[in-house]
Amino acid sequence: ATAGVAFSANPLNSDLDEMLVDAGYGLGESVVDGSIVADRFVWDKVGGRLLESKVGSKAQEVRLAADGGVEVRRVGAERQAVRSLSDEQLRQLAALVAAVEGAYGRPMDTEWAYTEAGELRLLQARPVTTLHPLDEAMITPPGEPRRLYYDFNVASEATTTSPFTCLDLAVYSDMSLAFLGLAGARIPTDPEQVFFNGQTRQYINMSHAFRLVGPRWFASQLEMVDVYLAAILRGDDCDAARYKSARLPSGLSFGSVWGLLRQMPMWRQYQLGSRWERAPLETKAEYISEARRSSEALKALEERGVTSAGFESFYAELLAAVYPVLELEMAVMQVIIPVFKALDTARVKGRTAQEGEEAGGVVRSRCGQRLSTAAAEPVGAGGGGRL
C-alpha cells in the first residue's frame, strides 16, 4: 500500500499546471505528520509527464495492526531507495485530482491511498490556501503559452506588499504619469500590455520585454537596484524561451514609443542631472530649500483640507507641492547610479584588502573632488530632505 497527499496546483511556485505529490509506504499518516522523508513528485497535468522526482528515505511505514490499531514498521534499505509511485500511478492520481479540482472549481489539497490490490482511493479534499493570488485575467488557460509578470513595487529596499485600493492605484498612477510628463494619460488594465494596472497591484509583462532583451541583461542592470530580482532573472526557472511572447501587443511600435518619449521632460531631467554633477553643493542647497517649501505647503494643505472645489483639485495641489522636490530627486539618479555601478565593479573585481581604497578612487574619478566634498555632509542635512 502507498498513500500521501496531492495538490492539484503546486503550492511551492503557485503553478496551476503542476500537481505536487508527497508519497510514502503504508498509511498516509507518516507523510502528513512529517515523521518520514517522503518521495516528492511534480507532475505536468497538461503534458501528462513527470517533471521532477525526488526519492525520500521513507525509513518507516504505518500499517494496520491485527487488533484494529496501527503499528510502525521499519522499511528496508532496498525499498527506501525505490520510488513509491510509478509513472502510471501518478497519471491515474493526476486524473483523480483533476476531477476533484473540476468539481470544486478551485485548486484542491487531497489525501489519497493505493490499496494492496492497487486500487486508488480518494480519502479527503480541502482547498489549497497557500497559492499566490493572481487576477483571473492574468492566468493563462492550461496548455497555453505562459506569461511572466514582474510586480515592480516589490523590491529589496522598497517593498510594498499590501494590496492597493482603487484610490491607491489611481493616485499612484496619476502621480507617476504626471512626473513623466504624461498627465492625463491612463495606464491600461489589460495584462497583454507591457505595463498595466492589475486589480490590486501594478505589473510589467516580462514576456514582452524578453522579445527585446534576455533575462540576463535585465539581471545585470538590476544588480544594484534589487539583488533578489537579479538572482531570479539569472535562475534556471526564468527561461526566456519558455516565457517570451509570440508578438508584441497591438499598437506598440517604434512610432508610439517615440511619441511617448517626446512628451517626457527628458531634457529637463538631463539639465538637472548635469547640475547635480557640476555643482553638487549648490544643487543640494536648492534641494533643501525646495524640501522645506514643500513641507510647509503640505502642512498648510493638511490643515486646510479639501475645499468645495473637490478632491481632484486638492490632489492637484498636493502634486504641485511635491513636484519640485521629486524632480530633483529623480535627476540626481543620473549621478548616483553610475557611481554605484562603478563601485560595484570595483567591489567585484578588486582585491579584498584594497576594495575601500579602489572604491574611493572610482568615486573621485567619476565625479571629481566636488562630489567627494559634498559626500562628507549627508544630503538634506539640516533640512527636510529625504535624499
Side-chain angles (χ1 to χ4, degrees):
T2 306
V5 296
F7 298 86
S8 68
N10 191 339
L12 301 180
N13 59 10
S14 297
D15 195 318
L16 302 179
D17 291 346
E18 294 178 358
M19 175 183 70
L20 179 72
V21 178
D22 286 340
Y25 297 128
L27 303 179
E29 178 181 333
S30 56
V31 176
V32 175
D33 65 17
S35 58
I36 65 167
V37 179
D39 291 345
R40 172 159 289 179
F41 306 96
V42 179
W43 184 265
D44 180 358
K45 297 188 300 182
V46 177
R49 61 191 179 93
L50 184 63
L51 299 176
E52 184 179 329
S53 174
K54 292 183 179 178
V55 178
S57 58
K58 307 183 295 294
Q60 63 186 34
E61 61 180 322
V62 178
R63 291 277 185 168
L64 291 175
D67 61 3
V70 297
E71 60 183 6
V72 178
R73 302 178 188 174
R74 282 196 55 79
V75 176
E78 190 172 317
R79 288 183 69 208
Q80 288 185 35
V82 177
R83 279 173 45 181
S84 55
L85 290 174
S86 66
D87 282 8
E88 182 55 35
Q89 287 175 316
L90 285 167
R91 188 173 287 106
Q92 294 174 358
L93 182 56
L96 174 65
V97 168
V100 174
E101 183 180 63
Y104 283 91
R106 61 182 301 175
M108 299 297 291
D109 170 6
T110 67
E111 294 186 21
W112 54 270
Y114 271 101
T115 68
E116 294 287 0
E119 296 177 342
L120 177 59
R121 294 286 183 263
L122 175 67
L123 305 180
Q124 64 172 324
R126 53 189 170 270
V128 179
T129 59
T130 56
L131 299 178
H132 181 78
L134 274 180
D135 301 351
E136 286 193 18
M138 296 169 63
I139 300 174
T140 53
E144 288 197 6
R146 295 159 179 254
R147 291 194 295 261
L148 185 65
Y149 303 105
Y150 170 45
D151 181 347
F152 73 98
N153 290 300
V154 177
S156 303
E157 304 298 333
T159 302
T160 304
T161 57
S162 301
F164 291 156
T165 65
C166 292
L167 181 59
D168 290 335
L169 277 176
V171 171
Y172 191 71
S173 300
D174 289 350
M175 184 175 292
S176 301
L177 290 168
F179 288 133
L180 291 172
L182 302 174
R186 288 291 177 265
I187 294 176
T189 57
D190 181 6
E192 288 293 337
Q193 300 302 312
V194 175
F195 177 66
F196 65 96
N197 282 346
Q199 292 181 359
T200 60
R201 305 289 296 181
Q202 292 183 314
Y203 298 93
I204 295 174
N205 188 325
M206 296 300 292
S207 295
H208 292 327
F210 287 166
R211 286 193 58 81
L212 306 176
V213 291
R216 292 190 178 275
W217 182 88
F218 279 110
S220 67
Q221 299 302 306
L222 292 167
E223 191 71 55
M224 294 302 298
V225 179
D226 190 339
V227 65
Y228 302 112
L229 176 61
I232 291 171
L233 289 169
R234 286 196 178 96
D236 294 337
D237 289 336
C238 193
D239 182 1
R242 185 185 193 192
Y243 289 109
K244 185 169 66 174
S245 59
R247 62 185 66 84
L248 292 173
S250 59
L252 182 64
S253 64
F254 176 81
S256 62
V257 172
W258 177 245
L260 283 175
L261 292 176
R262 290 183 62 187
Q263 298 179 55
M264 297 181 183
M266 300 180 70
W267 177 246
R268 167 71 174 168
Q269 281 292 300
Y270 173 76
Q271 290 178 311
L272 290 176
S274 298
R275 279 166 52 189
W276 274 112
E277 191 164 7
R278 290 194 314 270
L281 292 176
E282 292 85 349
T283 312
K284 168 190 162 183
E286 179 186 349
Y287 168 77
I288 293 173
S289 177
E290 289 291 356
R292 286 172 175 159
R293 278 197 293 268
S294 175
S295 180
E296 292 169 359
L298 288 174
K299 185 177 179 180
L301 287 170
E302 181 183 14
E303 291 175 350
R304 191 203 70 191
V306 181
T307 66
S308 58
F311 177 77
E312 287 191 10
S313 175
F314 182 70
Y315 170 61
E317 291 180 283
L318 291 174
L319 191 61
V322 299
Y323 186 84
V325 179
L326 294 183
E327 187 181 44
L328 284 166
E329 289 185 356
M330 288 189 294
V332 79
M333 292 298 110
Q334 295 179 47
V335 177
I336 292 176
I337 291 176
V339 169
F340 273 93
K341 283 188 175 182
L343 285 170
D344 194 51
T345 299
R347 176 186 65 82
V348 173
K349 296 182 179 180
R351 288 172 293 186
T352 302
Q354 299 177 351
E355 279 186 3
E357 183 177 336
E358 289 177 355
V362 171
V363 175
R364 287 188 292 274
S365 66
R366 174 62 182 84
C367 297
Q369 292 293 336
R370 290 167 297 180
L371 184 61
S372 300
T373 303
E377 182 185 358
V379 178
R386 300 190 295 115
L387 198 61

